[in-house]
Amino acid sequence: MFKFVTSNQHKFEEVSRLASSYGIDIEWVRMKYEEIQDESTERISYDSCKKLAGVVEAPYFVDDSGLFINALKGFPGPFSSYVSSTIGNEGLLKIMEGVEDRSAYFLTVVSLNEGHSIMQFTGKVMGRIATSIRGSNGFGYDPVFIPDGSNMTFAEMDLETKNAISHRSIAFRGLFEYIKMNHSVKK
Ligand code: ITT
């Protein structure tokens, strides 16, 4: 069975729901691992995946994600986790006070280690930063992010609705399509 290594329960819930729509069972390896500091989400994700070899038995995958705000030159980006757990959404909205360009995007890079190679799958969703905290679903920056084409924040959507359009679901659809094409035994 494919293992998802993450300390984040919300990520696991979103991804396991998507996996089951592909008829794929995944196992949660609930574990926090150290991440390198780098401006590239791809490199962070790749490095995390690589260094888990020998700790977790392949096949397994990791998800590295972040929120990138254009007016802040991509901040918090690779610092998303730290910023979320320190100043949080209130602090972020404070920084964004009076800022006209509120465009931003969420990025997820999934890295899969099949034992012999590492494959990456990327998902990106464009949107904007809300002017107030809205909604109570989801996690992290969901209450302040409005995806393009919607007036609701991710936190005002249920899991299915977020999964229909999110950065994470785009990346993981790529992964699950790949698994379905390349592995006859999925469970
Ligand atoms: P891992 O154990 O999987 O690393 P994490 O929560 O530390 O869990 P990341 O480093 O990938 O995960 O994510 C950085 C932060 O970005 C995360 O803590 C959230 O605050 C935020 N984030 C990531 N994906 C998000 C999403 O879909 N919606 C809202 N916030 C998100």
Side-chain angles (χ1 to χ4, degrees):
M1 199 191 292
F2 286 83
K3 304 181 187 82
F4 183 11
V5 187
T6 179
S7 62
N8 188 318
Q9 179 171 358
H10 298 279
K11 280 187 183 179
F12 182 74
E13 280 165 6
E14 291 179 9
V15 171
S16 60
R17 184 80 68 93
L18 200 65
S20 52
S21 74
Y22 283 84
I24 297 171
D25 271 343
I26 60 170
E27 182 187 331
W28 184 10
V29 177
R30 188 175 199 162
M31 193 176 128
K32 188 73 209 157
Y33 50 83
E34 285 294 311
E35 285 173 14
I36 52 160
Q37 255 185 37
D38 198 286
E39 65 197 30
S40 155
T41 308
E42 283 81 4
R43 275 199 295 268
I44 299 171
S45 179
Y46 186 91
D47 178 81
S48 300
C49 187
K50 198 170 169 197
K51 73 183 170 214
L52 284 168
V55 181
V56 179
E57 204 183 322
Y60 64 84
F61 49 84
V62 298
D63 158 333
D64 195 62
S65 300
L67 174 70
F68 297 76
I69 301 176
N70 293 324
L72 306 181
K73 306 209 182 311
F75 182 83
F79 307 110
S80 290
S81 182
Y82 180 71
V83 169
S84 182
S85 62
T86 50
I87 62 171
N89 290 326
E90 275 165 33
L92 199 67
L93 289 187
K94 208 156 218 153
I95 297 172
M96 289 296 287
E97 249 168 38
V99 177
E100 214 163 288
D101 175 12
R102 306 191 72 83
S103 64
Y105 64 90
F106 261 123
L107 179 67
T108 290
V109 180
V110 178
S111 298
L112 166 71
N113 182 358
E114 296 183 278
H116 47 84
S117 60
I118 292 180
M119 296 268 305
Q120 292 196 306
F121 304 86
T122 299
K124 187 174 181 177
V125 65
M126 314 299 291
R128 62 186 193 276
I129 302 300
T131 48
S132 62
I133 291 170
R134 280 166 31 199
S136 53
N137 296 329
F139 68 103
Y141 301 106
D142 282 344
V144 295
F145 184 82
I146 303 168
D148 280 355
S150 176
N151 288 319
M152 287 194 282
T153 66
F154 270 158
E156 291 176 306
M157 300 177 184
D158 59 23
L159 192 148
E160 291 295 330
T161 312
K162 181 182 173 190
N163 258 357
I165 54 173
S166 80
H167 49 304
R168 178 159 299 103
S169 73
I170 295 167
F172 276 96
R173 275 179 222 286
L175 172 69
F176 295 140
E177 296 284 351
Y178 172 81
I179 290 176
K180 283 206 91 137
M181 273 195 303
N182 292 279
H183 295 263
S184 47
V185 180
K186 285 160 257 152
K187 296 187 180 186

